[in-house]
């Protein structure tokens, strides 16, 4: 039976470590979250981030803007937060309404306060191997692998998905730990033949049960980044868990795997930004 890589428990341990470091130290890291509109999923994510901040002794502030806010007003809001001494981290909850440019908003955030690590400066530092802040989801996966003593050095690593948020930075982080990395995407030919070579397989495509048992090598470590709804409305990942779990050595569940690690790493990034400042 596969080892379940418990992101919920690991994230709780990481939050406890952060809380202990902050408590009695005089540090009060500050995180500002900008929410545009009233998307229900975004509201849940923002509330979870606020609760996480409170639990570890951070200051958090939510800036709510109407769905029809102008690009100029949104950018001005970011610039005002850049100047504030009590704010160490800034993130704008994505996705934004279609009339707004997420790239322009990310570019406006001070790279030192970019706790999502989406800014071109932070992306470039990651590419060069000199990051101070890492993208939350890939960093959370690396932390999970580290805490479960899963060695990456020399392993064949396959990342399915090439987004700027997960796929590309995930590949770079695995590469930095001496993994031999292949990135697959919608134009990859004979995908299953490639995924079957993976010692460590990361699925980040956003399609329910996309990775099936015949696509996975026996004994592999499988990381499921997906957060989808199946035909019955139940939360599920990109991996067909029931079929894949019996043949692998370790796997993340959905929910309770990668998701909790993402918010924990956001807290870690905010603390890092505070220290850097």
């Amino acid at each position: 039976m596969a080892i379940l890589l418990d992101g919920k428990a690991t994230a709780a341990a990481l939050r406890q470590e952060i809380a202990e470091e902050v408590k009695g130290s005089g540090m009060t890291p500050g995180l500002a979250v900008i929410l545009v509109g009233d998307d229900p999923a975004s509201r849940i994510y923002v509330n979870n981030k606020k609760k996480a901040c409170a639990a570890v002794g951070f200051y958090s502030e939510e800036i709510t803007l109407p769905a029809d806010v102008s690009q100029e007003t949104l950018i001005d809001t970011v610039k005002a937060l850049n100047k504030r001494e009590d704010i160490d981290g800034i993130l704008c909850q994505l996705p934004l309404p279609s009339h707004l440019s997420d790239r322009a908003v990310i570019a406006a955030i001070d790279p030192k306060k970019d706790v999502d690590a989406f800014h071109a400066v932070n992306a470039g530092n990651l590419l060069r191997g000199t990051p101070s802040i890492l993208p939350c989801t890939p960093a959370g996966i690396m932390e999970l692998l580290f805490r479960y003593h899963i060695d990456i050095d020399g392993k064949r690593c396959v990342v399915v998905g090439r987004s700027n948020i997960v796929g590309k930075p995930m590949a770079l982080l695995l590469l930095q730990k001496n993994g031999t990395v292949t990135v697959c995407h919608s134009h990859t030919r004979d995908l299953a033949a490639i995924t079957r070579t993976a010692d460590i397989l990361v699925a980040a495509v956003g399609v329910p049960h996309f990775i099936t048992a015949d696509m996975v090598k026996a004994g592999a470590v499988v990381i499921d980044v997906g957060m989808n709804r199946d035909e019955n409305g139940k939360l599920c990942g990109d991996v067909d868990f029931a079929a894949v779990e019996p043949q692998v050595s370790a796997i993340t569940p959905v929910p309770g795997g990668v998701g909790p690690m993402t918010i924990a790493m956001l807290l870690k990034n905010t603390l890092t930004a505070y220290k850097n400042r």
Side-chain angles (χ1 to χ4, degrees):
M1 181 176 288
I3 296 169
L4 281 187
L5 304 179
D6 190 338
K8 188 174 181 180
T10 306
L14 183 55
R15 289 195 305 271
Q16 182 62 33
E17 292 166 14
I18 292 170
E20 290 175 359
E21 183 174 353
V22 169
K23 184 179 179 181
S25 67
M27 296 189 294
T28 309
L31 175 67
V33 181
I34 302 170
L35 177 62
V36 180
D38 55 0
D39 177 74
S42 292
R43 164 52 59 197
I44 291 170
Y45 289 136
V46 169
N47 287 346
N48 288 342
K49 289 165 184 174
K50 288 165 65 178
K51 290 177 184 176
C53 284
V56 297
F58 287 11
Y59 168 73
S60 69
E61 184 173 326
E62 177 187 327
I63 297 93
T64 305
L65 300 173
D68 61 353
V69 67
S70 69
Q71 186 82 47
E72 182 180 12
T73 298
L74 180 54
I75 296 296
D76 286 345
T77 301
V78 170
K79 290 180 178 178
L81 292 170
N82 284 340
K83 296 176 182 178
R84 284 179 48 181
E85 289 293 318
D86 61 333
I87 297 297
D88 302 287
I90 302 168
L91 67 85
C92 186
Q93 186 65 45
L94 303 178
L96 293 172
S98 58
H99 71 284
L100 298 172
S101 167
D102 55 356
R103 287 190 178 187
V105 175
I106 292 166
I109 297 174
D110 181 342
K112 295 177 183 177
K113 296 188 176 189
D114 168 38
V115 286
D116 269 331
F118 292 163
H119 194 285
V121 168
N122 289 321
N125 286 338
L126 175 58
L127 181 63
R128 293 171 56 188
T130 58
S132 62
I133 294 176
L134 296 171
C136 298
T137 298
I141 292 168
M142 297 298 287
E143 188 75 16
L144 203 53
L145 293 173
F146 170 75
R147 294 195 181 221
Y148 276 88
H149 309 289
I150 295 171
D151 188 26
I152 298 167
D153 195 312
K155 298 289 180 62
R156 291 186 180 273
C157 306
V158 175
V159 180
V160 186
R162 55 176 171 179
S163 73
N164 292 331
I165 295 173
V166 179
K168 291 176 186 175
M170 187 75 250
L172 289 170
L173 289 176
L174 291 167
L175 192 61
Q176 287 175 13
K177 293 297 182 181
N178 299 319
T180 300
V181 183
T182 301
V183 179
C184 299
H185 45 78
S186 59
H187 291 254
T188 298
R189 297 179 181 178
D190 201 0
L191 177 63
I194 298 172
T195 57
R196 280 194 296 267
T197 69
D199 301 307
I200 299 173
L201 176 63
V202 181
V205 293
V207 178
H209 301 156
F210 181 80
I211 300 295
T212 52
D214 64 307
M215 299 173 70
V216 182
K217 181 172 73 172
V221 174
V222 177
I223 306 295
D224 191 347
V225 185
M227 185 63 73
N228 315 298
R229 297 276 180 183
D230 65 14
E231 62 276 8
N232 299 314
K234 184 180 179 182
L235 275 175
C236 67
D238 291 349
V239 176
D240 184 351
F241 183 91
V244 170
E245 186 269 342
Q247 69 186 54
V248 299
S249 62
I251 189 170
T252 57
V254 177
V258 173
M261 294 301 299
T262 298
I263 292 182
M265 298 310 294
L266 172 66
L267 298 175
K268 186 174 182 179
N269 280 351
T270 303
L271 180 58
T272 298
Y274 174 92
K275 292 176 178 178
N276 289 345
R277 180 171 67 83

